[in-house]
């Protein structure tokens, strides 16, 4: 009998599968394995990428868990600039053209979302040196006319790791060497699998533990809570449907007997009532009594599940539920959320998605080398005041100026520049701008020496 020889990737997959099965078999067990809570509650022990995808597509809160951080992270403008550059450089101009042509920010956000759903995600780089499908398995060719034609975000399900680098002297030791990427080339045909060299891929994984190639799916820790929510919300709807409409109990008079025809007629009347064809009963010898509705408020139970999900994901409850706007907003929640998104930008997205992409573009001369030999990622300011906040600030400052000018002695006690800086909160540059605009408008300087008339003198002058 011929023995089948397994490659490194197959051995790793088998070893990982065995380890997961062993770990999954221990989940939810207590009393020496005599009690299995997962089995009792109906929780699935071994979760797959397909489980997360199905949950994301069908459950509202599951989708919010993935989308809220990703949308907040990539909100606003994104620029890549040279350090210390005062004007647009060739590097910055080429980046702007590349970002616009390939819609990079949109594709980066898709890659981020796919990475959150699984253990990792990849960005397939479509260079111009692949005239045939077989060329994807070759390293990227270093040549002057090389260009980037497209980028394609893919999730764990469509980008399987084929083999790993086993050379201990390589800087990529233990990292993926080849991928088996599934793409659909024709609507009428089944998807095709391409063997792709790692130089054509940006590999991204979040929440890493010992394995630097596969992270932890965002929904894994809260998957049981998501199932509990399905039970509570779906069960409450079914409970209302069955229990809110009262049932009836019929009490037959003991001295009255019903014929078969009367029983049949009663059934027909009940059916007509149930299907809204009849809204009243006229029946001889039977007393109908309405039963009390059997419903209860599921809000406290749902709230507990939301609190647990919020605690694990770090998404404030108001933001998770989409009630972060207007009067429902919490300043503390909003500030904590902005801090979390800022950390996510700087500690996850920038070093794991944007910088590897830009460095690969520089390596293959898709982008020109920065003159300062380095670049920086410029994000939109999360803490910039909104239109409403700016309007409120302006209203408060205008009221403060009005009160300050109403008292003529205020200028002597508190010089205008000190008032503007300390009480209105303007910077030195803004104060200088105020003086220039006042001088341009022909307004006298408030700090000029002048006699301050008393209130009586003011009245005389007015007369």
């Amino acid at each position: 009998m011929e023995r089948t020889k397994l490659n490194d990737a197959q051995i790793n997959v088998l070893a990982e599968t065995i380890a997961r099965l062993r770990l999954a078999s221990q989940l939810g067990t207590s009393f020496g394995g005599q009690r299995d809570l997962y089995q009792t509650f109906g929780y699935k022990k071994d979760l797959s990428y397909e489980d997360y995808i199905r949950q994301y597509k069908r459950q509202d809160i599951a989708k919010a868990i993935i989308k809220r951080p990703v949308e907040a992270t990539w909100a606003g403008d994104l620029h890549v600039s040279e350090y210390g550059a005062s004007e647009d450089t060739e590097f910055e101009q080429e980046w702007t053209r590349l970002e616009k042509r390939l819609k990079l920010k949109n594709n980066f956000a898709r890659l981020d979302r796919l990475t959150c759903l699984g253990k990792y995600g990849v960005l397939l780089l479509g260079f111009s040196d692949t005239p045939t499908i077989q060329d994807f398995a070759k390293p990227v060719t270093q040549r002057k006319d090389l260009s980037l034609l497209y980028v394609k975000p893919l999730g764990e399900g469509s980008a399987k790791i084929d083999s790993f680098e086993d050379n201990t002297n390589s800087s990529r030791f233990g990292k993926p060497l080849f991928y088996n990427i599934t793409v659909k080339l024709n609507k009428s045909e089944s998807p095709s699998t391409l063997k792709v060299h790692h130089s054509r891929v940006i590999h991204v994984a979040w929440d890493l533990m010992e394995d630097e190639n596969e992270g932890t799916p965002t929904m894994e820790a809260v998957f049981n809570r998501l199932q509990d929510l399905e039970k509570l919300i779906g069960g409450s709807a079914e409970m209302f449907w069955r229990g809110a409409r009262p049932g009836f109990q019929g009490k037959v008079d003991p001295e009255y007997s019903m014929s078969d025809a009367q029983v049949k007629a009663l059934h027909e009347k009940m059916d007509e009532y149930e299907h809204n064809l009849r809204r009243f009963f006229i029946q001889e010898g039977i007393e109908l009594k309405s039963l009390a509705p059997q419903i209860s408020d599921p809000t406290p139970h749902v709230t507990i599940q939301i609190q647990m999900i919020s605690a694990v994901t770090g998404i404030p409850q108001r933001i998770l539920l989409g009630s972060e706007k207007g009067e429902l907003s919490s300043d503390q929640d909003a500030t904590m959320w902005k801090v979390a998104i800022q950390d996510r930008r700087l500690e996850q997205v920038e070093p794991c998605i944007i910088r590897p992409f830009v460095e690969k573009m520089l390596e293959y001369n898709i982008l020109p080398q920065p003159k300062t030999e380095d670049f920086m990622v410029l994000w939109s300011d999360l803490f910039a005041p909104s239109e409403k906040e700016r309007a409120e600030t302006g209203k408060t400052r205008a009221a403060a100026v009005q009160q300050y000018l109403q008292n003529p002695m205020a200028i002597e006690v508190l010089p205008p520049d000190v008032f503007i800086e300390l009480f209105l909160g303007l910077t030195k540059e803004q104060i200088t701008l105020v003086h220039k605009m006042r001088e341009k408008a022909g307004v006298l300087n408030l700090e000029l020496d002048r006699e301050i008339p008393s209130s009586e003198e003011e009245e005389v002058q007015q007369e």
Side-chain angles (χ1 to χ4, degrees):
M1 182 177 178
E2 184 179 356
R3 298 179 63 184
T4 303
K5 186 177 181 180
L6 301 177
N7 58 32
D8 294 341
Q10 291 172 320
I11 294 174
N12 289 330
V13 170
L14 288 174
E16 183 181 354
T17 302
I18 294 172
R20 287 177 182 173
L21 290 174
R22 185 183 299 114
L23 178 62
S25 64
Q26 300 173 356
L27 290 173
T29 59
S30 58
F31 294 99
Q34 296 182 13
R35 178 180 296 176
D36 190 337
L37 297 179
Y38 272 49
Q39 183 179 4
T40 302
F41 300 147
Y43 299 147
K44 189 175 181 179
K45 292 187 176 182
D46 190 16
L47 298 172
S48 65
Y49 180 71
E50 288 71 24
D51 291 323
Y52 301 127
I53 290 292
R54 283 193 293 267
Q55 204 75 10
Y56 174 79
K57 289 182 177 180
R58 294 301 301 269
Q59 190 181 21
D60 37 23
I61 293 297
K63 194 160 192 171
I65 290 171
I66 301 296
K67 290 191 67 176
R68 294 284 191 269
V70 174
E71 289 179 343
T73 299
W74 298 97
D77 297 329
L78 172 67
H79 299 286
V80 176
S81 176
E82 290 190 34
Y83 273 114
S86 57
E87 299 179 355
D88 285 348
T89 63
E90 183 184 2
F91 167 81
E92 294 171 355
Q93 293 173 0
E94 287 298 325
W95 163 261
T96 301
R97 282 192 283 267
L98 186 68
E99 196 280 332
K100 185 177 181 180
R101 177 169 63 88
L102 300 180
K103 300 179 181 178
L104 291 178
K105 195 183 83 161
N106 178 268
N107 282 296
F108 289 163
R110 288 172 56 198
L111 172 62
D112 188 4
R113 187 161 59 248
L114 289 167
T115 304
C116 292
L117 281 169
K119 300 182 184 69
Y120 62 87
V122 303
L123 185 69
L124 177 63
L125 306 175
F127 291 105
S128 59
D129 63 339
T130 54
T132 66
I133 292 179
Q134 289 72 25
D135 292 326
F136 281 95
K138 301 176 183 178
V140 177
T141 306
Q142 290 275 14
R143 64 189 194 190
K144 292 184 179 180
D145 62 342
L146 185 68
S147 61
L148 183 64
L149 304 178
Y150 59 87
V151 293
K152 187 174 182 61
L154 297 163
E156 175 193 348
S158 300
K160 302 294 185 182
I161 299 175
D162 178 75
S163 59
F164 297 85
E165 178 61 71
D166 57 1
N167 182 5
T168 56
N169 291 324
S170 172
S171 60
R172 290 188 53 83
F173 174 68
K175 293 184 178 181
L177 185 60
F178 290 98
Y179 294 83
N180 289 325
I181 291 182
T182 303
V183 293
K184 196 166 185 178
L185 304 177
N186 194 309
K187 291 183 178 179
S188 60
E189 297 179 0
S190 59
S192 301
T193 300
L194 310 178
K195 188 171 184 179
V196 180
H197 190 261
H198 70 82
S199 61
R200 303 179 184 278
V201 166
I202 302 291
H203 185 105
V204 183
W206 303 142
D207 195 13
L208 297 175
M209 300 292 283
E210 292 183 356
D211 191 339
E212 60 181 356
N213 301 312
E214 295 187 351
T216 305
T218 302
M219 280 193 281
E220 181 174 353
V222 296
F223 203 84
N224 293 352
R225 304 288 75 78
L226 294 174
Q227 289 184 303
D228 289 342
L229 275 177
E230 294 278 26
K231 299 173 188 175
L232 288 168
I233 298 175
S236 66
E238 185 71 11
M239 172 182 59
F240 185 86
W241 173 253
R242 293 180 178 274
R245 186 173 184 177
F248 291 91
Q249 180 184 26
K251 184 177 181 182
V252 182
D253 192 308
E255 298 180 357
Y256 181 80
S257 61
M258 297 181 65
S259 64
D260 293 340
Q262 290 174 318
V263 172
K264 183 179 179 180
L266 177 61
H267 286 172
E268 291 177 354
K269 292 178 182 179
M270 294 293 291
D271 288 339
E272 291 175 357
Y273 181 85
E274 180 65 23
H275 297 295
N276 294 323
L277 300 177
R278 177 190 295 271
R279 300 306 301 162
F280 58 89
F281 280 108
I282 299 177
Q283 185 64 36
E284 182 182 357
I286 296 179
E287 179 185 357
L288 292 177
K289 181 180 180 183
S290 175
L291 300 177
Q294 299 294 321
I295 58 174
S296 62
D297 184 9
T299 302
H301 307 286
V302 172
T303 300
I304 292 176
Q305 305 301 324
I306 296 295
Q307 288 174 347
M308 298 302 296
I309 292 173
S310 175
V312 175
T313 60
I315 306 175
Q317 295 179 54
R318 294 179 182 271
I319 294 174
L320 180 63
L321 298 175
S323 59
E324 74 277 15
K325 296 180 181 179
E327 66 278 5
L328 295 177
S329 64
S330 166
D331 291 339
Q332 185 176 3
D333 282 350
T335 301
M336 290 177 60
W337 178 240
K338 290 177 181 178
V339 170
I341 294 301
Q342 185 76 353
D343 291 343
R344 191 174 189 273
R345 283 178 170 181
L346 299 180
E347 297 177 9
Q348 285 186 230
V349 171
E350 183 176 328
C352 297
I353 295 180
I354 301 176
R355 280 194 167 273
F357 176 82
V358 176
E359 289 168 358
K360 196 172 283 287
M361 296 302 100
L362 293 173
E363 179 184 355
Y364 299 124
N365 298 318
I366 305 298
L367 290 175
Q369 294 294 329
K371 295 180 180 179
T372 57
E373 299 183 356
D374 203 356
F375 61 90
M376 57 183 177
V377 180
L378 302 178
W379 298 91
S380 60
D381 187 4
L382 290 171
F383 298 91
S386 63
E387 292 292 336
K388 181 180 178 181
E389 291 170 338
R390 284 195 290 266
E392 291 293 333
T393 301
K395 182 179 178 181
T396 303
R397 285 175 173 174
V401 171
Q402 183 180 11
Q403 293 182 3
Y404 175 73
L405 295 176
Q406 283 179 350
N407 189 347
M409 295 301 298
I411 299 176
E412 298 296 329
V413 177
L414 192 67
D417 283 357
V418 176
F419 170 77
I420 292 173
E421 181 178 357
L422 298 182
F423 289 85
L424 299 186
L426 271 63
T427 63
K428 297 289 186 182
E429 292 78 9
Q430 291 172 329
I431 295 174
T432 302
L433 179 62
V434 169
H435 283 308
K436 289 181 179 179
M437 295 180 69
R438 290 176 57 249
E439 291 173 0
K440 185 176 180 180
V443 181
L444 294 177
N445 195 320
L446 292 177
E447 291 184 323
L448 294 176
D449 294 333
R450 59 187 177 89
E451 294 183 359
I452 307 299
S454 64
S455 58
E456 294 181 357
E457 292 174 342
E458 287 181 347
E459 293 177 358
V460 171
Q461 292 176 0
Q462 291 175 359
E463 293 178 357

